[in-house]
């Protein structure tokens, strides 16, 4: 069975205020063409279909167009909700839409209920694990401690329990939206850290033939059977070196996996340039970036006059301007944002306690902070669903 694995469409999202709907529509057309020309048997979309819980009308219309075009091909499509989606909104009408071969899996309670497809070698069971916010689903899965690994492990127990009831030789595919250990994040993913632990081990998914992951925006192979497709378009300059692709996966009669990357259309290349303003304007080696979307980091010790206006004369598609004067790390002029870069909310809070008290929090106080962050995250998730 040939699968096309994609994720993280983020319909409705802009790139540094540049409207991306045209590029997203081009990607949808490319997806449909790939399904037809490469004789794909099933499409899997592993979450973050939309960029936010209440997407703009134009994004909903594009999603509707994608559903119709995929249904017209007669190729089954399976989709799960991600942490950016409103699971309840995305799942509206799932029963009716399923009759057209578009299977939406947004309910945690349905993790162990597969969509079963067949090829000449027998059945393939597809299990959809939507994004599982631990604080909200721990009751559903009967776990005491709210954590990503705990709830995903409980969901996978249901998958394996169902798989054990099926005929020998039944192959299996799991769609999941999670941060798996070994994955490389970028700046454009919304943090799903809970309790200071962001990642779950790939071993959580043991026992199935292929795991189609979403959430991280770079195409990645965690193991031969566990892969991220990545987003089809860039959504931050940290993705400048990404090759945006989908996975074309052939699932053999024995459950063996062969995977090929299929390139996505590139609306415009990205470039991250660094140097003084005069260097960026004069250096001939930067000529190849003159039509790219540019993030320029200026290292001038004093902010130059009209830097954006001058940069856009050479790089008309400059979208981001960063000032980072070259100073020693302990220089008091180093920006607050730079000092906090790469630190989690938990770490920042613990550093604050150490700063005002002279000593960091003990284990009990660390647990209090974790619980507070978990409660806020759960409340935010509830508010998004209720909007």
């Amino acid at each position: 069975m040939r699968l096309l694995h994609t994720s993280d469409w983020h319909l409705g999202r802009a790139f540094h205020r540049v409207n991306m709907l045209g590029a997203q529509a081009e990607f949808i057309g490319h997806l449909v063409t790939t399904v037809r020309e490469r004789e794909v048997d099933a499409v899997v979309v592993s979450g973050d279909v939309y960029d936010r819980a209440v997407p703009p009308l134009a994004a909903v219309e594009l999603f509707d167009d994608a559903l119709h075009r995929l249904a017209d091909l007669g190729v089954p499509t399976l989709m799960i909700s991600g942490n950016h989606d409103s699971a309840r909104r995305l799942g509206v009408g799932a029963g009716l839409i399923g009759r057209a071969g578009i299977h939406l899996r947004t309910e945690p309670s349905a993790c162990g209920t597969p969509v079963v497809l067949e090829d000449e070698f027998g059945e393939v069971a597809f299990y959809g694990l939507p994004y599982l916010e631990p604080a909200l689903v721990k009751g559903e899965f009967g776990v005491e401690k709210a954590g990503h690994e705990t709830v995903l492990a409980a969901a996978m127990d249901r998958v394996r329990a169902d798989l054990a009831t099926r005929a020998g030789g039944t192959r299996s595919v799991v769609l999941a939206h999670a941060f798996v250990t070994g994955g490389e994040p970028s700046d454009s993913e919304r943090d799903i850290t809970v309790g200071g632990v962001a990642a779950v081990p790939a071993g959580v998914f043991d026992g199935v033939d292929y795991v189609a992951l979403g959430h991280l925006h770079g195409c990645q192979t965690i193991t031969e059977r566990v892969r991220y497709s990545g987003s089809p378009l860039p959504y931050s300059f940290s993705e400048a070196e990404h090759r945006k692709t989908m996975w074309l996966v052939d699932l053999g009669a024995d459950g063996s996996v062969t995977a090929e990357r299929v390139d996505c259309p590139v609306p415009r290349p990205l470039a991250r340039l660094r140097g003084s303003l005069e260097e960026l304007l004069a250096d001939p080696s930067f000529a190849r970036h003159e039509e790219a979307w540019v993030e320029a980091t200026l290292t001038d010790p004093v902010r130059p006059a009209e830097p954006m206006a001058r940069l856009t004369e050479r790089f008309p598609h400059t979208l981001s301007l960063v000032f980072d004067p070259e100073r020693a790390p302990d220089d008091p002029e180093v920006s607050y944002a730079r000092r906090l870069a790469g630190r989690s909310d938990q770490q920042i809070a613990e550093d604050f306690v150490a700063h005002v008290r002279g000593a960091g929090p003990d284990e009990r106080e660390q647990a209090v902070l974790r619980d507070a962050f978990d409660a806020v995250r759960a409340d935010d998730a509830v508010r998004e669903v209720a909007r």
Side-chain angles (χ1 to χ4, degrees), residues 299-356:
T299 60
D300 301 76
V302 177
R303 184 175 299 213
E306 300 183 330
M308 181 62 87
R310 295 171 66 189
L311 276 169
T312 54
E313 291 179 2
R314 183 179 189 188
F315 307 104
H317 305 287
T318 301
L319 301 181
S320 176
L321 184 58
V322 180
F323 293 96
D324 186 19
E326 293 183 342
R327 296 188 175 104
D330 58 352
D331 190 314
E333 296 298 319
V334 172
S335 73
Y336 181 69
R338 184 173 172 185
R339 293 198 302 271
L340 295 185
R343 302 185 69 75
S344 69
D345 291 342
Q346 178 86 15
Q347 290 171 322
I348 293 169
E350 291 178 8
D351 287 348
F352 176 75
V353 172
H355 173 72
V356 299

Side-chain angles (χ1 to χ4, degrees), residues 50-244:
Y50 291 121
D51 187 56
R52 55 183 185 265
V54 185
L57 179 59
V60 177
E61 291 173 339
L62 180 55
F63 179 59
D64 182 65
D65 177 64
L67 295 185
H68 279 85
R69 295 172 72 178
L70 288 168
D72 287 346
L73 291 176
V75 175
T77 299
L78 298 94
M79 297 183 173
I80 61 172
S81 49
N83 60 304
H84 280 247
D85 300 307
S86 165
R88 291 178 62 183
R89 284 187 174 84
L90 188 63
V92 168
L96 288 173
I97 295 172
R99 297 179 186 178
I102 309 293
H103 305 280
L104 301 174
R105 289 295 183 264
T106 63
E107 291 292 334
S109 59
C111 285
T113 304
V115 175
V116 180
L117 305 179
E118 291 190 44
D119 63 9
E120 64 269 33
F121 304 115
E123 294 185 340
V124 181
F126 290 79
Y127 298 89
L129 277 57
Y131 171 64
L132 303 174
E133 176 60 57
L136 298 182
V137 303
K138 65 177 183 178
E140 165 65 33
F141 292 106
V143 298
E144 294 183 3
K145 184 177 180 181
H148 282 287
E149 182 175 353
T150 306
V151 296
L152 272 173
M156 283 302 302
D157 285 344
R158 294 189 183 184
V159 169
R160 284 184 284 264
D162 179 83
L163 199 53
T165 68
R166 300 190 175 273
T170 298
R171 290 158 290 162
S172 54
V173 175
V174 165
L175 289 70
H177 196 85
F179 185 178
V180 175
T181 303
E184 182 66 33
S186 60
D187 293 342
S188 54
E189 299 117 7
R190 180 186 296 168
D191 178 34
I192 58 174
T193 302
V194 171
V197 180
V200 300
V204 165
F205 299 104
D206 285 351
V208 297
D209 294 308
Y210 184 70
V211 181
L213 293 174
H215 178 57
L216 300 185
H217 288 183
C219 181
Q220 301 171 61
T221 300
I222 305 300
T223 73
E224 286 303 306
R225 296 183 181 276
V226 180
R227 299 171 186 261
Y228 283 100
S229 67
S231 62
L233 294 166
Y235 294 112
S236 73
F237 277 102
S238 66
E239 300 167 56
E241 300 301 320
H242 286 189
R243 174 187 165 199
K244 295 300 184 181

